[in-house]
Amino acid sequence: MYTGLTGYHPQHFRIHPVLDQILERWTGEQKETVHLLINKFGLPNEASWTKIIWYNNGPWKRTIVHLDAVPHNFPTPHLDYLEQTIDYKVPVQFFDELAQFDGSLYPDRTAGEATAKCDQEAANFMALNLMHDIVTGRRSVEDARRFATEIEKGLRLKGQSSPYFERFLFPKQSHTSDPDVRYF
């Protein structure tokens, strides 16, 4: 594994010798996504044979592109390989509802994080924005699923955007970790 990649210049054909060697084994959407993210955020902070990681890139606490993808059918068949995380304190009573909304949405109570995993950054913004809508009572699970289907259909089939795809529609959170209660 290589860490601390620096010196990316878009005009260079080669990105970085170690990263180039890793990406030679990658194909398809995952490889294309890594190149898109390098153009947007610069070189990653870590790279291994199976994942490429950026920290504190744009609005994200962490972005990981996984070589191994997981098939996901909601709201349309695609592969989940782009994992993006923010600091967010999800109340425990919403964990089941969020799992019903989207199986690729992962709240982490102890770390105080919420992670979305999809194939596009726009879809991760949408999942986390709808998570916030559910947690704040703005939408039910069923309404969030209907809305996600409607706007993602517009994005994927017609190239239509929505604020839900472009940015977070809620304030950034901090100090979100919950180490729980000590019993001994």
Side-chain angles (χ1 to χ4, degrees), residues 9 58-59 75 79 87 94 101 124 142 150 165:
H9 299 286
L79 296 174
D87 284 321
F94 288 98
F101 162 61
N124 287 338
E142 297 77 22
E150 177 185 315
F165 293 128

mmCIF file of all heavy atoms in Angstrom, residues 9 58-59 75 79 87 94 101 124 142 150 165:
data_model
loop_
_atom_site.group_PDB
_atom_site.id
_atom_site.type_symbol
_atom_site.label_atom_id
_atom_site.label_comp_id
_atom_site.label_asym_id
_atom_site.label_seq_id
_atom_site.Cartn_x
_atom_site.Cartn_y
_atom_site.Cartn_z
ATOM 1 N N HIS A 9 -0.559 16.242 -11.657
ATOM 2 C CA HIS A 9 -0.690 17.294 -12.665
ATOM 3 C C HIS A 9 -1.540 16.739 -13.796
ATOM 4 O O HIS A 9 -1.144 15.792 -14.468
ATOM 5 C CB HIS A 9 0.688 17.712 -13.199
ATOM 6 C CG HIS A 9 1.580 18.252 -12.120
ATOM 7 N ND1 HIS A 9 1.396 19.495 -11.566
ATOM 8 C CD2 HIS A 9 2.626 17.703 -11.481
ATOM 9 C CE1 HIS A 9 2.306 19.701 -10.634
ATOM 10 N NE2 HIS A 9 3.065 18.626 -10.559
ATOM 11 N N GLY A 58 -13.436 17.782 -0.256
ATOM 12 C CA GLY A 58 -14.680 18.513 -0.474
ATOM 13 C C GLY A 58 -15.547 18.403 0.765
ATOM 14 O O GLY A 58 -15.070 18.570 1.884
ATOM 15 N N PRO A 59 -16.820 18.067 0.591
ATOM 16 C CA PRO A 59 -17.716 17.974 1.746
ATOM 17 C C PRO A 59 -17.602 16.643 2.504
ATOM 18 O O PRO A 59 -18.278 16.438 3.498
ATOM 19 C CB PRO A 59 -19.106 18.104 1.116
ATOM 20 C CG PRO A 59 -18.936 17.472 -0.231
ATOM 21 C CD PRO A 59 -17.534 17.871 -0.665
ATOM 22 N N PRO A 75 -32.597 2.426 -6.646
ATOM 23 C CA PRO A 75 -33.904 2.292 -7.273
ATOM 24 C C PRO A 75 -33.852 1.667 -8.663
ATOM 25 O O PRO A 75 -34.886 1.401 -9.261
ATOM 26 C CB PRO A 75 -34.407 3.732 -7.343
ATOM 27 C CG PRO A 75 -33.178 4.558 -7.487
ATOM 28 C CD PRO A 75 -32.104 3.816 -6.723
ATOM 29 N N LEU A 79 -24.042 -0.958 -9.555
ATOM 30 C CA LEU A 79 -23.034 -1.535 -8.675
ATOM 31 C C LEU A 79 -22.638 -0.519 -7.616
ATOM 32 O O LEU A 79 -22.381 0.642 -7.930
ATOM 33 C CB LEU A 79 -21.796 -1.940 -9.475
ATOM 34 C CG LEU A 79 -21.994 -3.039 -10.509
ATOM 35 C CD1 LEU A 79 -20.726 -3.227 -11.333
ATOM 36 C CD2 LEU A 79 -22.394 -4.346 -9.836
ATOM 37 N N ASP A 87 -19.610 13.218 8.952
ATOM 38 C CA ASP A 87 -19.940 13.206 10.368
ATOM 39 C C ASP A 87 -21.428 13.493 10.488
ATOM 40 O O ASP A 87 -21.924 14.487 9.944
ATOM 41 C CB ASP A 87 -19.156 14.291 11.121
ATOM 42 C CG ASP A 87 -17.708 13.918 11.341
ATOM 43 O OD1 ASP A 87 -17.430 12.732 11.619
ATOM 44 O OD2 ASP A 87 -16.843 14.807 11.240
ATOM 45 N N PHE A 94 -33.678 5.511 14.561
ATOM 46 C CA PHE A 94 -33.888 5.586 13.108
ATOM 47 C C PHE A 94 -33.078 4.554 12.328
ATOM 48 O O PHE A 94 -33.204 4.479 11.107
ATOM 49 C CB PHE A 94 -33.568 6.997 12.594
ATOM 50 C CG PHE A 94 -34.590 8.003 12.992
ATOM 51 C CD1 PHE A 94 -34.392 8.817 14.088
ATOM 52 C CD2 PHE A 94 -35.786 8.129 12.285
ATOM 53 C CE1 PHE A 94 -35.336 9.749 14.480
ATOM 54 C CE2 PHE A 94 -36.739 9.052 12.665
ATOM 55 C CZ PHE A 94 -36.517 9.868 13.764
ATOM 56 N N PHE A 101 -35.078 2.145 4.147
ATOM 57 C CA PHE A 101 -34.995 3.113 3.050
ATOM 58 C C PHE A 101 -33.962 2.678 2.017
ATOM 59 O O PHE A 101 -34.240 2.608 0.827
ATOM 60 C CB PHE A 101 -34.668 4.515 3.583
ATOM 61 C CG PHE A 101 -34.156 5.453 2.531
ATOM 62 C CD1 PHE A 101 -34.939 5.789 1.433
ATOM 63 C CD2 PHE A 101 -32.880 5.984 2.612
ATOM 64 C CE1 PHE A 101 -34.471 6.639 0.440
ATOM 65 C CE2 PHE A 101 -32.405 6.838 1.628
ATOM 66 C CZ PHE A 101 -33.192 7.164 0.545
ATOM 67 N N ASN A 124 -24.903 9.416 -3.742
ATOM 68 C CA ASN A 124 -24.536 9.433 -2.323
ATOM 69 C C ASN A 124 -25.048 10.703 -1.640
ATOM 70 O O ASN A 124 -25.531 10.644 -0.510
ATOM 71 C CB ASN A 124 -23.025 9.280 -2.154
ATOM 72 C CG ASN A 124 -22.564 7.865 -2.443
ATOM 73 O OD1 ASN A 124 -23.344 6.921 -2.375
ATOM 74 N ND2 ASN A 124 -21.295 7.714 -2.767
ATOM 75 N N GLU A 142 -41.308 5.365 3.063
ATOM 76 C CA GLU A 142 -41.987 5.142 1.780
ATOM 77 C C GLU A 142 -41.893 6.374 0.881
ATOM 78 O O GLU A 142 -41.640 6.264 -0.316
ATOM 79 C CB GLU A 142 -43.459 4.763 2.012
ATOM 80 C CG GLU A 142 -43.658 3.463 2.769
ATOM 81 C CD GLU A 142 -43.417 3.581 4.278
ATOM 82 O OE1 GLU A 142 -43.488 4.705 4.849
ATOM 83 O OE2 GLU A 142 -43.124 2.540 4.892
ATOM 84 N N GLU A 150 -38.020 8.686 -8.215
ATOM 85 C CA GLU A 150 -38.426 9.726 -9.163
ATOM 86 C C GLU A 150 -37.235 10.577 -9.615
ATOM 87 O O GLU A 150 -37.021 10.758 -10.817
ATOM 88 C CB GLU A 150 -39.483 10.605 -8.491
ATOM 89 C CG GLU A 150 -39.952 11.776 -9.317
ATOM 90 C CD GLU A 150 -40.905 12.651 -8.505
ATOM 91 O OE1 GLU A 150 -41.798 12.117 -7.834
ATOM 92 O OE2 GLU A 150 -40.724 13.890 -8.555
ATOM 93 N N PHE A 165 -28.910 16.014 -5.347
ATOM 94 C CA PHE A 165 -27.727 15.397 -5.955
ATOM 95 C C PHE A 165 -26.484 16.268 -5.872
ATOM 96 O O PHE A 165 -25.389 15.802 -6.139
ATOM 97 C CB PHE A 165 -27.960 15.119 -7.445
ATOM 98 C CG PHE A 165 -28.994 14.084 -7.740
ATOM 99 C CD1 PHE A 165 -30.021 14.360 -8.623
ATOM 100 C CD2 PHE A 165 -28.927 12.820 -7.177
ATOM 101 C CE1 PHE A 165 -30.974 13.407 -8.930
ATOM 102 C CE2 PHE A 165 -29.873 11.867 -7.468
ATOM 103 C CZ PHE A 165 -30.900 12.160 -8.349
#
